[in-house]
Amino acid sequence: MTSSVSFRITRTAEDLAQTITALSQRLVKLEQRQQALELQLRQQQKDLNAVPDEEISTLEGVEALLRETRELLDITAPTSEAGLPDEPAQNESWGQEDETELSCDVA
């Protein structure tokens, strides 16, 4: 009886050792997989945050055009204000012409 109990204990200890080994291997694989996923995630975030050089140069060109446009508007703003009072009168007359045309078309 003592030998059968000893055999069972030995057998159980071996089974436990194999199970622990298998679990340890799985844990190592999972840790490696987690590290790979974290690295991939960091790379994707870095790629999303990075602005390509082409886009930066395009945006700088747009910014320069906006500055030039503002400068031109600032330079021409005082001269165009003199022409502003005439424009509403023209707009009013255009509206009247449209109404006349509509009334002619309806009749």
Side-chain angles (χ1 to χ4, degrees):
M1 181 150 172
T2 307
S3 65
S4 68
V5 171
S6 174
F7 175 76
R8 285 187 211 154
I9 292 173
T10 303
R11 182 72 179 167
T12 304
E14 288 174 0
D15 289 344
L16 285 174
Q18 289 175 354
T19 303
I20 290 171
T21 302
L23 288 173
S24 296
Q25 289 174 351
R26 287 182 185 175
L27 179 62
V28 167
K29 286 180 183 179
L30 286 172
E31 287 175 343
Q32 290 172 345
R33 188 172 171 192
Q34 180 185 7
Q35 289 174 352
L37 287 172
E38 286 175 353
L39 180 63
Q40 184 180 6
L41 178 64
R42 274 190 242 118
Q43 185 64 35
Q44 287 176 348
Q45 287 175 342
K46 183 180 176 183
D47 292 344
L48 286 175
N49 293 335
V51 179
D53 291 337
E54 264 182 45
E55 192 171 334
I56 289 174
S57 63
T58 301
L59 290 173
E60 287 173 350
V62 169
E63 186 178 0
L65 286 172
L66 284 172
R67 270 195 311 266
E68 291 173 11
T69 304
R70 286 188 188 117
E71 289 172 4
L72 287 173
L73 288 172
D74 289 342
I75 292 170
T76 59
T79 58
S80 65
E81 287 177 4
L84 286 178
D86 295 336
E87 290 178 12
Q90 289 176 342
N91 289 341
E92 289 173 10
S93 66
W94 292 338
Q96 291 171 357
E97 289 174 7
D98 290 342
E99 290 174 8
T100 308
E101 289 176 13
L102 287 175
S103 64
C104 291
D105 291 338
V106 172

